[in-house]
Each structure stands twice: as structure tokens, then as C-alpha cells.
Amino acid sequence: MTVLRSGFATDVGKIRRANEDQYLVNDSLFAVADGMGGAAGGEEASHTAVAALQEAFDQDPTADGLAEGLRAANRAVWEKASERPDLRGMGTTMTAVALVPCADDDQDDDVLAIANVGDSRVYLLRDGALERITEDHSVPEELVRAGQLRPEEAATHPQRNMLTRVLGNESDVEVDCFEIIPFSGDRLILASDGLFNEVDHDDIASVGRRLRDPQEAATELVRMARDEGDGRDNITVVVVDVVDDGNRSARASAAVVATPPPPRPEPATPRQEPERADASVSRRTSTAPREKRFTVRVAAFLTALIVIAVGTLAAISFFGRGGYFVGLDHDEVVVFKGRPGGLLWLNPTIARRTGTAASDIRPSHIQDLQAGKAEGSLAAALRYAAAIKNEATTTTTTTLPPIGGTASSPASTPPSPSSTIAR
Ligand code: MG
């Protein structure tokens, strides 16, 4: 059984007059919401969303229930904004974490489900390294993902406060979902943009590593954003620690020992356990996976494609080069290897010359030769060539010259065939 411990802090900051952020800290459900739409609207939106999330999650405390909780929160804010003109245009971000049963696990195990809309964030501090889990739905971050902006330019982009997805803006919303297999020592940090717009990534990581108590860490992060940063926005931080993972770490280590590790490009330091981190953070539903992996299934599919392509080429080549036909090369009867007229890129080639001139062949055969007289083998083609030559010779020797005329070969003026034979 996984045991969590949490801390939280929020502050209005040095400039704003109202705190439009909301947080939710429960036994197994945690959230941060950053409202917008004027002071009244922003507070109402984040408050409404958090209440709707809690109510929906109580009905279905699962990973799917968490995602549905954000959709329920969206509907609640949307409907309230539609009903009250003074709240029109309000909206809120929401990022939420819940400890839920593992959906596809026979064991009595659990996972940390994460759901996000907007630009509040969830970070994971594991083995001393801080990783952002969620993606911001903001104009500069969308530009970064589209490859049109460098990551370092996003933090200072003039439209960094313009969001592309929030709760309450439309009747339905797409929710990003992630899952983390929790291990003892993991720390999740949920934060509104008032934190990370004022405190940089390395300083958040440093505080997270230094202060063991989650309440102290949350309080210190909010203090830094207000006092050491400019405190331009409301600041909210929730810190969730995994203090017991129900012996999952030991089971994972046993599994790693039992399974020979794959070859590694460089040795890992003893404290790092990258296999565990890679395998235990996943994105459940997404429109754009963070990275495309070259899997065994993809390799098998590509191999099958190559085999099919090579087989098809071999079949075409075998068919296109497999037969023989008798035809004309300029004025000579020849045997070609290939198909009359050729096949795709396979042109026929001369297999055997006969030395027989077209003028020595009866005119009735010339048309066949121009089209190409196909035969099953070289021997059959040669037999045909010999036969039509003999036929013409026999005909010539048994035909009497016409009375009053001059004897002449019936094939003395064949049409020039050269242009009709593909070479
Ligand atoms: Mg904010």
C-alpha cells in the first residue's frame, strides 16, 4: 500500500489584490487551479472547478474518474459562466494528482494518476532529478512543440500568458493524462505559473532536494517566488511525497536483478536507477506523444514490408524476363528474351539471331512478328523461326511464275518493322 504525505502553500504575491488560485489537498487527491477572467471571475472559476473535481472523483476514484473530474469541472465553470453575465469569459487551469488503483493490474497495486488542462504544472523529483511531467497549453509552448520556437525563448515570450486550453471556455475539453508508478522517495510538486515564472527549474529542484518536509518545501518555494522573484502573480504550490511504496522498490530491484540489463552506452552511477524511472512514468492519453520509440513491432512491420517489396520485384523480374518471342530486329528475324513490348523497366533483349531476312518470310507472318510471337522456350522460338522460313522457301519453290510476269518473293516488300519492336 502506498502512503503519501503532503504540504501546501499559497500567496497572493506582491502585485495582485486577490488570490485567484485554488488548491485541493486530500488523502489521495491533490490539485492546483489558476483562475482567470477578472478578480471575481477568476476566483469563482477556480473555486467552482476544484469543488466539481472533488465531487466527481468521489463518485469514481480511479484514473478515468480523475480525467472525468476535470471534464466535470469544465462543465461546471462553463455552465456558470453561461448563466451569469458578470462571470462571462471566466476560466481556470487545473492540474491534479490522485492515488488510484492500477487499472490493468491483477495485483492489489496503485499508481499516481495525473490530469492537466492549462499551464499549471506537475513536476516529479526522483533520485535527485526534477522532471516536468505535464505540458503547458500556452501559445509559446505550443510553438515549441511545433518546432517554431526554441525552448529557452518560451519563458520570455510576450504571449506566454495566452493559453490555448483552459477549463470553462467551451462545453467540452480535452484532458492530458499521465500515470506514474510511485516509489518511496518520489516527490511531486504541483504549482501555478506564479512559481515557475519567478523561480527557475534548477532552484525548484534545489529546494526540493534540500528540504525533506513537504510543508517546509512548499512554504519555501512560495516564499522564493514572492520575495526573491518579482511576485507578479498569485503563487500556489502543493508538494506530495511518497513515504512508503508498499515494498515496490524492493520488488522492482529484484526484477532488475533477475533480468539481465541491456547494453548501456555509459555506466550509471550507483544512485541512479534510470530503468525504473523510464518504465514508471507514462502518458495514458495524448494527442501527441512526447517521443516516438522504434519498437520491436515497428521493426517487424518494416521487415515484412521490405520482404513483400523484394518478393514483388522478384516476381515482376521473373515474369518480365522469363519468356521468349520471335520478332524483327530491323530486317532480320530474331528471338528475343522477355515479353513483347517489354514490362515496366524490363526491355526484351536479343537471345538469338537467325540470319533470316524479313523479305524471306511470307507476308502473312510479318504482322505476328511485328507484334512479337511468344513461345514458351528458346527451342520453341527457334523452331517457329525455322518453320516460317521453311514455309516461305517451300512456297517459293512450288509457285510457278505468273504468265507474262516476273517471279518474285511474296515477302519482297514487307513494311519496315523496326519501329514496332521495343528494345
Ligand atoms: Mg497565474
Side-chain angles (χ1 to χ4, degrees):
M1 178 181 166
T2 307
V3 178
L4 305 177
R5 196 152 64 104
S6 62
F8 57 90
T10 188
D11 194 280
V12 70
K14 289 195 286 200
I15 308 243
R16 301 286 181 92
R17 298 175 62 186
N19 192 343
E20 299 169 36
D21 286 359
Q22 285 278 337
Y23 59 86
L24 176 63
V25 174
N26 222 321
D27 289 343
S28 59
L29 178 61
F30 310 88
V32 165
D34 180 351
M36 62 206 71
E43 281 183 72
E44 187 69 36
S46 58
H47 180 82
T48 301
V50 164
L53 168 68
Q54 177 75 71
E55 187 180 342
F57 185 74
D58 287 346
Q59 311 252 324
D60 181 14
T62 65
D64 289 340
L66 183 70
E68 178 53 33
L70 264 71
R71 285 191 284 271
N74 177 71
R75 286 193 296 273
V77 177
W78 165 255
E79 285 166 9
K80 192 170 277 190
S82 304
E83 290 164 4
R84 289 179 46 182
D86 58 317
L87 299 177
R88 191 152 295 155
M90 71 175 179
T92 183
T93 74
M94 177 170 277
T95 195
V97 173
L99 185 67
V100 297
C102 184
D104 45 19
D105 196 341
D106 295 334
Q107 304 171 27
D108 182 22
D109 221 340
D110 38 35
V111 296
L112 287 168
I114 296 170
N116 180 60
V117 171
D119 72 344
S120 296
R121 293 180 180 175
V122 175
Y123 295 90
L124 170 64
L125 183 67
R126 171 174 285 175
D127 300 323
L130 186 73
E131 177 193 6
R132 197 212 312 176
I133 302 296
T134 53
E135 293 174 347
D136 295 352
H137 303 132
S138 65
V139 170
E141 290 272 333
E142 302 282 1
L143 290 173
V144 169
R145 284 194 285 278
Q148 296 172 14
L149 192 71
R150 291 198 299 271
E152 59 270 25
E153 295 173 323
T156 55
H157 194 276
Q159 293 178 305
R160 64 182 178 278
N161 291 327
M162 290 188 65
L163 301 186
T164 55
R165 211 193 297 172
V166 295
L167 300 185
N169 205 34
E170 294 178 344
S171 59
D172 197 9
V173 71
E174 182 185 1
V175 179
D176 286 354
C177 299
F178 308 84
E179 276 184 8
I180 294 177
I181 299 172
F183 290 98
S184 294
D186 284 352
R187 167 170 279 181
L188 277 79
I189 300 174
L190 292 72
S192 64
D193 64 341
L195 173 71
F196 51 82
N197 282 343
E198 303 290 356
V199 183
D200 69 28
H201 189 94
D202 290 345
D203 289 337
I204 296 173
S206 176
V207 171
R209 283 191 295 264
R210 181 164 53 84
L211 297 176
R212 307 288 297 172
D213 182 78
Q215 182 57 55
E216 283 183 30
T219 303
E220 174 62 6
L221 287 169
V222 169
R223 187 200 66 75
M224 286 174 69
R226 183 191 59 228
D227 296 345
E228 296 181 18
D230 293 331
R232 291 165 292 190
D233 197 359
N234 306 145
I235 313 142
T236 300
V237 174
V238 174
V239 176
V240 181
D241 285 354
V242 180
V243 294
D244 189 342
D245 63 11
N247 218 26
R248 191 177 294 108
S249 293
R251 281 185 274 136
S253 298
V256 170
V257 169
T259 308
R264 304 167 66 85
E266 54 190 38
T269 57
R271 282 201 72 246
Q272 292 177 322
E273 294 175 304
E275 302 95 332
R276 195 184 74 179
D278 287 348
S280 61
V281 181
S282 62
R283 184 168 187 147
R284 291 181 63 243
T285 58
S286 159
T287 51
R290 282 187 175 182
E291 56 183 287
K292 292 178 178 145
R293 295 187 180 170
F294 191 75
T295 62
V296 172
R297 191 175 293 184
V298 172
F301 176 69
L302 290 177
T303 303
L305 274 185
I306 291 168
V307 167
I308 290 169
V310 169
T312 304
L313 288 175
I316 292 172
S317 182
F318 177 80
F319 180 75
R321 302 279 303 139
Y324 292 87
F325 68 94
V326 184
L328 293 173
D329 178 44
H330 296 282
D331 199 31
E332 182 186 2
V333 177
V334 298
V335 176
F336 289 93
K337 183 171 174 55
R339 299 289 163 185
L343 180 70
L344 298 177
W345 66 94
L346 298 170
N347 289 324
T349 56
I350 295 174
R352 196 69 61 88
R353 293 189 174 276
T354 65
T356 305
S359 55
D360 294 338
I361 303 297
R362 288 178 63 181
S364 58
H365 292 302
I366 292 299
Q367 195 169 4
D368 286 343
L369 294 179
Q370 286 175 333
K373 180 74 171 68
E375 293 291 346
S377 65
L378 176 60
L382 289 170
R383 277 197 299 275
Y384 174 79
I388 58 175
K389 180 185 177 187
N390 290 338
E391 186 184 340
T393 305
T394 304
T395 305
T396 302
T397 53
T398 56
T399 302
L400 295 174
I403 297 168
T406 305
S408 65
S409 165
S412 60
T413 55
S416 172
S418 60
S419 63
T420 61
I421 300 293
R423 295 296 308 269

